[in-house]
């Protein structure tokens, strides 16, 4: 038999399409040719495979070897194809029986001495192999990650000799058994450590309950970052399906998936980050920060310091929960259902409206600074909250606020009401939203007058309804009343928070 076909998996975004490694031996001058859109690392596998086979004591055929990575129109990258190529050569040259590799998928990078090195993106490949009903052979360092796919036989291997010994029946490899994944540890920061700032704490609870985006504005040192870091502690734990989605994204990025297993992501990119760093992309497309924050929190500190073009790329994923990257050579789609929390100062010096220190900025400087945030972006931030400087008496007081565990219970109860309705208030359909609010004629008339006076957009109107419904859910009320609408509208008056100069 001079033809062998070994299944494996490519890595395309969060997908793992099947790739068939076809190996054919023919007469002619000895050589090895790889076809099927291989990139540089795949082309170099010919030397890694040759050395690994020889150093492991196998024969490298002195014949013309043609390798086809099918389908031919799918780009192939990385060292993940080394192991299937080596097995294909061994099967095609008769060193391993063909039937020994039936119903087997494998991936892994070979060292020159035949040892297996770990590769990224194993979890999506394992989930695809599980759906196909095949056994998956991976480097031992990736076995825990592959076993997370559930109903899948995972064979961990350390060396090419172990692979051949297993396939020849000389020394069977025991399927890998995953121990209990590490329990999701709660964040070390507790909400009780925050002194004062009752309105900001209230807004944080509303944001957690309804999945709303949140903006803190105030002078430096008033606790904006401290408040944002406590959000993860009052969010409910991830479901198993959500854990797998988060883990798959981390796997594709080459990050340790068990290190933060079960924890909601909390990403804090620097304000110098590029648009590609936030949304993903690059010559070798990878998920960006918004995808790494999927099912978690994306915290943007010093929001106006981000490049305006960078901030504008957030507008679409904030609405859709996905990011679609289209380039001339590739297209990728990544999940990005994140919760945006941002913090900013009211002016360049940071002390506009600060009783502790006078502001030295001119009105023109304040206006230019605040104008770095576009109206469409602010429209998508449901809660815009002032975090003022606290008097010394509150800072030194011994009184502590509610802890995260107490607030989390109310958040869980409110989310339970929302899930029974069809989803979080921040994401439910407009028809479901208006039906759930059940506004009476008096509320509609009053709200219409307020919208006209505040010049709020149609999007802002629906955002107000979503926040008001979340407030009603926290209060265990069946409909939205005027006091709930008044509180929700109070969270959208950024101009009043900033003092002079509008955004």
């Amino acid at each position: 038999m001079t033809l062998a076909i070994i299944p494996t998996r490519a890595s395309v975004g969060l997908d793992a399409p099947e790739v068939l490694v076809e190996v054919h031996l023919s007469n002619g001058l000895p050589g090895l040719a790889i076809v099927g859109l291989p990139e540089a690392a795949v082309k170099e596998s010919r030397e890694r495979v040759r050395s690994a086979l020889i150093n492991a004591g196998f024969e490298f055929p002195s014949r013309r070897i043609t390798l086809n990575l099918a389908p031919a129109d799918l780009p192939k990258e990385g060292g993940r194809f080394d192991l299937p190529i080596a097995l294909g050569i061994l099967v095609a040259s008769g060193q391993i029986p063909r039937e020994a590799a039936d119903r087997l998928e494998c991936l892994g990078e070979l060292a020159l001495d035949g040892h297996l090195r770990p590769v990224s993106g194993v979890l999506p490949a394992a989930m695809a192999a599980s759906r196909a009903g095949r056994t998956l052979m991976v480097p031992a360092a990736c076995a825990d990650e592959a076993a997370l796919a559930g109903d899948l036989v995972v064979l961990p291997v350390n060396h090419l000799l172990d692979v051949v010994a297993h396939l020849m029946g000389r020394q069977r490899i025991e399927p890998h058994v995953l121990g209990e994944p590490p329990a999701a540890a709660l964040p070390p920061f507790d909400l009780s450590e925050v002194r004062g700032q009752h309105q900001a704490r209230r807004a944080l609870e509303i944001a957690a309950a309804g999945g709303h985006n949140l903006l803190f504005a105030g002078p430096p040192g008033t606790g904006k970052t401290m408040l944002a870091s406590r959000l993860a502690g009052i969010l409910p734990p991830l479901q198993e399906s959500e854990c797998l989605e988060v883990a798959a994204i981390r796997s594709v990025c080459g990050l340790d998936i068990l290190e933060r297993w079960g924890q909601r992501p909390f990403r804090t990119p620097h304000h110098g980050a590029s648009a590609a760093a936030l949304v993903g992309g690059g010559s070798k497309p990878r998920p960006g920060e918004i995808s790494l924050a999927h099912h978690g929190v994306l915290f943007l500190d010093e929001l106006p310091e981000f490049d305006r073009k960078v901030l504008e790329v957030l507008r679409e994923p904030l609405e859709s929960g996905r990011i679609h990257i289209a380039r001339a050579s590739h297209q990728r789609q990544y999940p990005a259902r994140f919760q945006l929390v941002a913090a900013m100062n009211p002016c360049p010096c940071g002390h506009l409206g600060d009783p502790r220190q006078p502001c030295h900025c001119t009105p023109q400087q304040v206006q230019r600074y605040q104008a770095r945030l576009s109206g469409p972006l602010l429209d998508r931030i449901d809660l815009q909250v002032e975090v003022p400087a606290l008097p010394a008496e509150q800072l030194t007081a011994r009184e502590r606020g509610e802890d995260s565990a107490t607030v989390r219970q109310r958040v869980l109860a409110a989310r339970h009401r929302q899930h029974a309705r069809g989803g979080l208030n921040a994401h439910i359909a407009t028809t479901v939203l208006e039906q759930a609010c059940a506004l009476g004629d008096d509320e509609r008339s009053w709200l219409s007058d307020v919208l006209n006076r505040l010049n709020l957009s149609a999007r802002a109107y629906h955002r107000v309804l979503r926040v008001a419904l979340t407030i009603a859910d926290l209060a265990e009320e069946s409909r939205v009343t005027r006091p709930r609408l008044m509180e929700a509208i109070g969270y959208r008056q950024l101009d009043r928070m900033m003092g002079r100069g509008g955004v």
Side-chain angles (χ1 to χ4, degrees):
M1 183 68 184
T2 60
L3 177 66
I5 301 176
I6 306 295
T8 184
R9 298 279 167 180
S11 179
V12 182
L14 296 186
D15 298 324
E18 183 183 59
V19 172
L20 298 179
V21 178
E22 301 173 340
V23 183
H24 179 242
L25 305 185
S26 61
N27 296 326
L29 292 174
L32 191 154
I34 303 179
V35 297
L37 279 185
E39 57 102 51
V42 182
K43 292 179 181 178
E44 292 169 353
S45 67
R46 63 164 67 92
E47 304 304 329
R48 292 193 297 271
V49 170
R50 184 196 309 272
S51 297
L53 288 175
I54 294 173
N55 288 326
F58 300 105
E59 176 192 354
F60 189 83
S62 297
R63 303 177 64 182
R64 181 175 180 81
I65 306 174
T66 303
L67 292 175
N68 179 39
L69 307 179
D73 59 347
L74 178 69
K76 322 299 188 305
E77 62 180 27
R80 62 197 301 118
F81 301 103
D82 289 2
L83 180 56
I85 289 174
L87 285 185
I89 292 175
L90 292 174
V91 172
S93 62
Q95 299 178 69
I96 294 178
R98 178 185 178 186
E99 59 273 11
D102 287 346
R103 309 301 301 169
L104 174 70
E105 289 188 12
C106 58
L107 53 91
E109 179 182 334
L110 282 170
L112 297 185
D113 62 354
H115 279 89
L116 270 296
R117 291 195 174 112
V119 294
S120 62
V122 169
L123 181 56
M127 296 168 70
S130 176
R131 291 191 294 268
R134 295 192 181 119
T135 298
L136 182 64
M137 184 176 285
V138 297
C142 302
D144 278 345
E145 180 178 338
L148 290 172
D151 188 16
L152 174 69
V153 177
V154 178
L155 300 179
V157 290
N158 289 302
H159 197 279
L160 188 57
L161 288 173
D162 300 334
V163 177
V164 176
H166 172 81
L167 296 179
M168 297 294 289
R170 294 195 298 264
Q171 185 175 354
R172 307 297 295 182
I173 299 174
E174 292 298 322
H176 183 72
V177 178
L178 177 68
E180 285 294 323
L186 293 175
F189 309 116
D190 196 274
L191 198 56
S192 63
E193 299 168 355
V194 178
R195 301 292 176 90
Q197 304 298 1
H198 301 294
Q199 185 184 30
R201 289 171 56 99
R202 168 71 168 168
L204 199 68
E205 180 178 343
I206 295 171
H212 304 287
N213 302 318
L214 174 62
L215 171 64
F216 290 126
T222 56
K224 301 185 292 295
T225 302
M226 186 178 186
L227 283 160
S229 64
R230 269 69 181 167
L231 177 58
I234 60 176
L235 290 172
L238 289 172
Q239 303 295 322
E240 184 177 356
S241 60
E242 295 173 335
C243 287
L244 286 175
E245 288 183 33
V246 172
I249 297 171
R250 291 181 63 85
S251 174
V252 169
C253 294
L255 302 176
D256 185 358
I257 65 174
L258 294 177
E259 177 187 355
R260 297 183 57 83
W261 176 260
Q263 297 184 30
R264 289 192 177 269
F266 188 85
R267 305 295 298 184
T268 58
H270 187 264
H271 58 74
S274 65
L278 281 186
V279 303
S283 58
K284 294 182 179 180
R286 289 290 183 269
E289 289 290 339
I290 63 173
S291 294
L292 286 167
H294 183 55
H295 290 314
V297 178
L298 177 70
F299 177 50
L300 302 183
D301 200 5
E302 304 295 345
L303 188 65
E305 300 298 334
F306 283 81
D307 187 274
R308 179 161 180 159
K309 293 182 179 178
V310 172
L311 293 178
E312 294 307 300
V313 302
L314 296 176
R315 286 160 51 177
E316 181 183 347
L318 279 173
E319 291 286 339
S320 65
R322 306 194 70 82
I323 180 67
H324 184 77
I325 301 171
R327 301 290 187 268
S329 59
H330 60 264
Q331 294 191 19
R332 299 286 187 273
Q333 184 167 281
Y334 300 115
R337 180 61 73 189
F338 61 95
Q339 197 167 344
L340 175 65
V341 180
M344 64 176 291
N345 297 326
C347 66
C349 77
H351 295 287
L352 180 65
D354 187 354
R356 304 168 303 175
Q357 189 170 337
C359 174
H360 301 290
C361 304
T362 65
Q364 292 77 16
Q365 289 175 322
V366 174
Q367 185 174 16
R368 282 196 301 269
Y369 182 78
Q370 297 177 6
R372 295 178 185 177
L373 306 181
S374 68
L377 177 63
L378 288 175
D379 251 1
R380 290 168 168 82
I381 300 179
D382 304 347
L383 302 161
Q384 302 162 8
V385 185
E386 182 179 14
V387 185
L390 293 178
E393 297 78 29
Q394 289 193 30
L395 288 174
T396 57
R398 294 185 177 180
E399 181 183 357
R400 295 169 66 92
E402 287 184 307
D403 59 14
S404 294
T406 303
V407 177
R408 191 187 308 116
Q409 292 304 314
R410 292 198 296 268
V411 168
L412 288 171
R415 287 202 172 204
H416 180 73
R417 295 169 62 90
Q418 294 170 51
H419 288 309
R421 191 183 295 132
L424 291 181
N425 291 335
H427 311 309
I428 58 174
T430 304
T431 52
V432 178
L433 171 68
E434 294 183 342
Q435 182 179 3
C437 288
L439 296 181
D441 292 338
D442 291 342
E443 285 93 352
R444 290 183 182 277
S445 176
W446 175 84
L447 184 57
S448 176
D449 180 59
V450 172
L451 292 176
N452 287 329
R453 284 191 284 111
L454 296 180
N455 295 320
L456 295 181
S457 66
R459 179 186 288 112
Y461 160 67
H462 286 110
R463 297 279 179 175
V464 167
L465 288 184
R466 294 178 190 277
V467 173
L469 184 57
T470 300
I471 297 172
D473 287 334
L474 284 168
E476 300 183 356
E477 297 174 352
S478 58
R479 59 183 297 271
V480 173
T481 57
R482 185 183 297 188
R484 307 308 177 196
L485 291 170
M486 293 175 65
E487 183 178 358
I489 290 174
Y491 291 123
R492 295 201 65 88
Q493 300 184 47
L494 189 62
D495 289 350
R496 174 182 59 80
M497 288 191 326
M498 295 294 192
R500 349 179 262 277
V503 177

